[in-house]
Amino acid sequence: MKILALESSCDETAAAVVEDGRKVLSSVVASQVEEHMLYGGVVPEIASRRHAEAIVGVTEKALTDAKLTLDDIDAIAVTYAPGLIGALLVGVNFAKGLALSKNIPLVPTHHLRSHIAANYIAHPDLKPPFLCLVVSGGHSHIVQVDDYTKMKIIGKTRDDAAGEAFDKAARSMGMPYPGGIHLDKTAENGNPDAFKLPRPTVANSPYDFSFSGLKTAVINLIHNASQKGDVLPVEDLSASFRKAVVDCLVTNFMKAAKDINSKTLVIAGGVSANSLLRKELEKQCSDMDCKLYMPPKSLCGDNGAMVGAQGYYEYLTGNIAGDDLNAYATMSIEL
Ligand code: KG4
Ligand code: ZN
């Protein structure tokens, strides 16, 4: 089964053709990052307009790269939630038009479920059940994936998402948007013990996260230093911040794995590209005799291939939209 998959939830316009959920025949991503960088973050109206401009070309290229035409496509999958509403609506309406014109099924696909599904592309042996740490720009969840379309959140952030915290801390250090990747690179040359930063926990909820205090601690350090005319070493500050965030993520995730006795662990979302997170989890999983699956860095960020992967399993469970499909800015991964 060949699915044409579309993604437009944030600042990437993406299309891909995926066969039977696991084989990527093409994947095209048009990023708007350069433009949003000028403003230090995503400007929702600009994002919507750029999606409207790019979506036809990106889709045509995905079909051409796969050496197919629309007549060869069996279903259209599209990200319909969560994300920027104006951005999502571009993809949803375009997908609806394609599905109607060819009289093929339209499969509504949840963005975070797709991030998890990026792992199915990279790891043919991976199947639910497993425990997944989903860490993106907007979400930080520990999710029990019981089946491809059946999941339960057992931990989540109470305030900022991990990616958001990385981006805000990076911004306060003068790095361009999106700062997570720059902070990660800068941290490689720093001392993670140079600055004492908190490891915030949430009372009575051992799997929940709280990153806003950590972000504020870094911002305060920078402000206090600048009031004295000092400039803090950005490599050490990045390394200390990265270590603190990764400690929180790894501690809660591994505790959850131990408590529910899950031996198959998966990470997903933009922050799963973080070098220290990957390294620490590899170490702990080998110590605890757990099997760890991580997406290749090329599939950590937003892309269409992951939508095609999840869309296949949504289709198999009968998740087909009517022609009244809408987009939603927020929606639980549990649905
Ligand atoms: O999943 P994603 O591409 O988009 C959302 O669905 O939100 O995640 C984007 C987030 C951004 O906050 C970005 O800074 C962060 O992932 N990110 C990273 C790294 N690469 C991307 N954060 C830390 N280290 C990285 N290497
Ligand atoms: Zn994403």
Side-chain angles (χ1 to χ4, degrees):
M1 175 174 194
K2 293 186 187 71
I3 292 186
L4 172 64
L6 301 164
E7 156 65 38
S8 68
S9 67
C10 190
D11 57 353
E12 258 100 30
T13 317
V17 181
V18 180
E19 192 169 37
D20 297 336
R22 302 263 178 171
K23 189 172 172 205
V24 180
L25 303 184
S26 66
S27 179
V28 180
V29 180
S31 176
Q32 310 172 358
V33 155
E34 297 272 318
E35 188 163 4
H36 296 295
M37 208 181 264
L38 300 172
Y39 306 96
V42 178
V43 182
E45 180 164 339
I46 294 178
S48 310
R49 290 171 185 272
R50 296 297 167 262
H51 287 308
E53 289 163 6
I55 200 156
V56 173
V58 164
T59 304
E60 279 175 347
K61 183 157 171 37
L63 287 168
T64 312
D65 287 357
K67 299 188 175 56
L68 299 170
T69 71
L70 257 190
D71 292 332
D72 304 308
I73 298 298
D74 301 302
I76 309 285
V78 64
T79 305
Y80 76 123
L84 300 170
I85 192 69
L88 288 165
L89 281 167
V90 174
V92 165
N93 280 307
F94 184 65
K96 204 183 280 189
L98 289 179
L100 275 173
S101 71
K102 289 290 162 190
N103 197 24
I104 51 179
L106 176 63
V107 183
T109 308
H110 189 285
H111 183 71
L112 295 180
R113 289 184 169 201
S114 299
H115 271 300
I116 297 173
N119 283 283
Y120 303 141
I121 296 167
H123 309 292
D125 62 321
L126 176 64
K127 291 187 188 76
F130 54 79
L131 190 69
C132 187
L133 177 68
V134 187
V135 270
S136 71
H139 299 83
S140 298
H141 287 344
I142 297 175
V143 182
Q144 238 177 292
V145 180
D146 296 321
D147 207 338
Y148 291 103
T149 58
K150 218 173 127 222
M151 12 207 123
K152 187 167 181 277
I153 299 171
I154 62 167
K156 61 180 170 195
T157 183
R158 295 295 183 97
D159 39 58
D160 289 354
E164 189 180 359
F166 270 118
D167 292 345
K168 287 177 177 167
R171 188 178 178 169
S172 71
M173 297 179 211
M175 296 173 192
Y177 172 84
I181 187 163
H182 300 285
L183 192 149
D184 189 18
K185 278 194 188 128
T186 309
E188 290 295 311
N189 302 314
N191 170 10
D193 302 315
F195 293 95
K196 272 209 163 12
L197 291 172
R199 305 294 191 259
T201 54
V202 178
N204 304 320
S205 301
Y207 313 138
D208 282 357
F209 305 104
S210 170
F211 294 115
S212 81
L214 196 46
K215 168 200 72 191
T216 309
V218 165
I219 294 172
N220 288 343
L221 277 174
I222 294 171
H223 283 172
N224 291 343
S226 85
Q227 275 170 355
K228 291 186 212 146
D230 295 339
V231 179
L232 298 177
V234 74
E235 288 86 358
D236 288 348
L237 198 54
S238 296
S240 304
F241 182 78
R242 182 178 71 164
K243 182 74 168 70
V245 173
V246 168
D247 277 353
C248 296
L249 291 172
V250 171
T251 303
N252 294 12
F253 187 40
M254 296 313 291
K255 175 164 174 49
K258 208 179 282 175
D259 290 352
I260 65 169
N261 195 27
S262 179
K263 290 283 180 196
T264 308
L265 304 186
V266 177
I267 58 171
V271 181
S272 64
N274 187 268
S275 335
L276 184 68
L277 178 64
R278 295 170 83 95
K279 218 178 292 164
E280 291 284 323
L281 281 175
E282 263 173 352
K283 198 164 78 207
Q284 297 224 11
C285 285
S286 118
D287 291 349
M288 276 178 58
D289 213 15
C290 292
K291 182 125 174 68
L292 175 67
Y293 293 89
M294 303 189 281
K297 288 198 180 183
S298 59
L299 285 175
C300 289
D302 293 345
N303 63 83
M306 67 186 197
V307 180
Q310 183 62 26
Y312 175 70
Y313 294 104
E314 297 291 343
Y315 174 82
L316 292 185
T317 41
N319 186 5
I320 312 289
D323 55 15
D324 58 349
L325 177 67
N326 208 337
Y328 302 89
T330 58
M331 181 181 288
S332 169
I333 196 170
E334 295 173 358
L335 297 184

